[in-house]
Amino acid sequence: QDLTEISDSRAIVQADKTIYYSYISRCTENIRIGNTEKVPVNDGKAVQLSSNCSSIIDLYRKAYQEYDKFKFRAAYTIDLQVKNPADYFAPENYNEAWLRSFCYSYDLQVPASNAGNIYAIMQQDLNRFFNLETSIRQQKVKSLVLVKRKGRDLLKTKGGKPSDSFAGSTWHRPTDDTVRVLINQPFKKLERWLQLWISGTQPFFSKVNYEGNIDISLPDVVISDLNIAQLRKELQRYGLDLRTKKKKIDVLVIRDRF
């Protein structure tokens, strides 16, 4: 029976208590399998992995990130060597026709005893179906590296009540602050914020070994618009700098199989 005609595709495999199965189907509103990561099912006897109406690249991200073992969300973490790369990524303003033509649903269930291989099985299924070959390689990518400049310590906290407004305005904490601050906070927190802001467009590394709490303030406009040149100038006021260097990172290489 055609899976596209079934409202709940799992009815097929559960009717006879199937223990192991995997399938790929075109995206259709008649199949809704949700998005799961290694979820126990059937009273813990099996484990399920699924992705509903996903682009090809998102299927590969799911398979090769192995939940949180690797990070392949950013464009610079994927080296796509295929004939028609536009078919792999969802366009900015995609429509129903694009979804039906270039998106797929994937569902996999394995015995709990084989849960450790579930992502490897998904990887093999995708490569067979799309006729691709993949590998994870270390490649040098232009990155931003946080360094400490020579001179006196301009970060050391003056004490006071700890405060962190680097998140900016949120739905549950709206604010019109023009300046964001870290007051009496660990230096690691600044590194985490920089990682969050920068890593969407290029890799971020820190070479700063700083112990103790810090005070730092940054203009909201620099962070909201992510102006790297201006951010660098602001950090220099505190004896820090952002340097551009090529650093090795894990890259998912996807290529046509010839």
Side-chain angles (χ1 to χ4, degrees):
Q1 189 171 2
D2 188 348
L3 288 179
T4 60
E5 298 175 359
I6 298 172
S7 59
D8 185 357
S9 57
R10 293 201 183 91
I12 305 171
V13 295
Q14 290 180 352
D16 59 355
K17 302 192 184 305
T18 302
I19 298 173
Y20 176 98
Y21 70 85
S22 70
Y23 73 79
I24 299 174
S25 71
R26 289 282 188 184
C27 176
T28 169
E29 61 182 15
N30 295 324
I31 297 179
R32 300 182 184 89
I33 58 174
N35 292 283
T36 62
E37 296 276 358
K38 211 171 178 181
V39 173
V41 293
N42 295 350
D43 297 322
K45 296 176 184 176
V47 175
Q48 184 219 348
L49 181 63
S50 63
S51 190
N52 191 64
C53 286
S54 301
S55 66
I56 300 174
I57 208 68
D58 280 341
L59 287 173
Y60 271 89
R61 281 177 172 140
K62 189 182 193 79
Y64 280 88
Q65 287 187 148
E66 299 187 31
Y67 188 55
D68 60 357
K69 183 178 179 181
F70 296 98
K71 305 294 182 186
F72 295 126
R73 293 305 309 172
Y76 59 78
T77 61
I78 294 177
D79 182 3
L80 191 60
Q81 303 172 20
V82 296
K83 186 177 180 181
N84 299 306
D87 296 349
Y88 288 67
F89 291 92
E92 201 166 305
N93 298 308
Y94 62 86
N95 54 26
E96 189 71 20
W98 192 91
L99 278 174
R100 292 185 179 277
S101 298
F102 300 109
C103 284
Y104 300 83
S105 291
Y106 176 84
D107 196 11
L108 168 64
Q109 181 175 302
V110 301
S113 59
N114 203 24
N117 296 318
I118 197 166
Y119 289 102
I121 295 169
M122 181 178 182
Q123 294 164 13
Q124 294 161 10
D125 283 346
L126 295 180
N127 285 341
R128 276 194 297 267
F129 183 78
F130 294 110
N131 198 29
L132 298 170
E133 56 185 28
T134 51
S135 61
I136 297 175
R137 297 183 181 179
Q138 286 262 304
Q139 293 186 3
K140 282 192 172 183
V141 176
K142 188 167 74 171
S143 309
L144 282 177
V145 181
L146 182 69
V147 299
K148 194 173 188 306
R149 306 171 78 190
K150 292 181 179 180
R152 63 191 183 92
D153 186 355
L154 302 173
L155 287 164
K156 187 176 180 179
T157 184
K158 296 179 176 63
K161 183 180 179 181
S163 177
D164 177 2
S165 65
F166 268 28
S169 184
T170 62
W171 69 269
H172 62 279
R173 197 188 69 86
T175 177
D176 56 1
D177 293 343
T178 58
V179 176
R180 302 193 199 183
V181 300
L182 287 179
I183 302 296
N184 199 8
Q185 295 285 344
F187 181 78
K188 289 291 182 184
K189 184 167 281 192
L190 172 62
E191 290 178 319
R192 288 196 295 268
W193 279 114
L194 291 172
Q195 172 83 31
L196 180 66
W197 298 332
I198 293 170
S199 62
T201 54
Q202 58 187 312
F204 169 80
F205 295 88
S206 177
K207 293 296 183 182
V208 180
N209 184 19
Y210 189 95
E211 299 294 334
N213 286 5
I214 65 170
D215 296 339
I216 186 170
S217 62
L218 299 173
D220 176 77
V221 65
V222 172
I223 300 167
S224 299
D225 299 335
L226 194 59
N227 185 322
I228 295 297
Q230 191 60 42
L231 176 60
R232 186 182 177 201
K233 289 180 181 179
E234 293 295 331
L235 291 172
Q236 287 171 350
R237 293 173 47 224
Y238 294 92
L240 301 172
D241 202 356
L242 287 171
R243 305 275 173 81
T244 300
K245 294 183 180 181
K246 283 202 169 184
K247 303 284 287 183
K248 282 187 176 181
I249 65 167
D250 289 322
V251 172
L252 176 60
V253 181
I254 304 172
R255 60 164 63 96
D256 287 320
R257 182 182 291 152
F258 296 104

